[in-house]
Amino acid sequence: MSFKLKDHDRRTALGNPEFMSKSEKAWLFAEQYRSAIIGGTLLLCLVAVLLGGLFWYQYDQTSQAMTLQHEAAALYLDRPLDDIEKSKQNL
């Protein structure tokens, strides 16, 4: 004699997590902790924006320093040797 497994009612599945599938458990977790998940996601985005701004600022400062160093090297190397006053001013 064969028997048939009874399909459990979904309302009883909420009280008994062993009757729930993994996806149903994940959705239940997401519904229960919705505000924490949204807050964590927003916090993660804020940290990413702040780190991006920090890296951009560091890149900008490095670029300005390299430009200034290039100008200083050009003034030092291209100083006229016959005009002493201009040479001292460039140094």
Side-chain angles (χ1 to χ4, degrees), residues 27-57:
W27 278 113
L28 183 63
F29 177 82
E31 287 177 5
Q32 288 175 347
Y33 298 104
R34 180 182 307 165
S35 61
I37 292 172
I38 291 172
T41 304
L42 290 176
L43 183 64
L44 185 65
C45 290
L46 179 65
V47 167
V49 166
L50 288 175
L51 284 176
L54 180 68
F55 285 129
W56 174 81
Y57 180 74

Side-chain angles (χ1 to χ4, degrees), residues 68-82:
L68 189 61
Q69 182 181 7
H70 176 69
E71 289 174 6
L75 286 174
Y76 178 74
L77 294 175
D78 295 338
R79 68 184 187 273
L81 296 176
D82 56 348

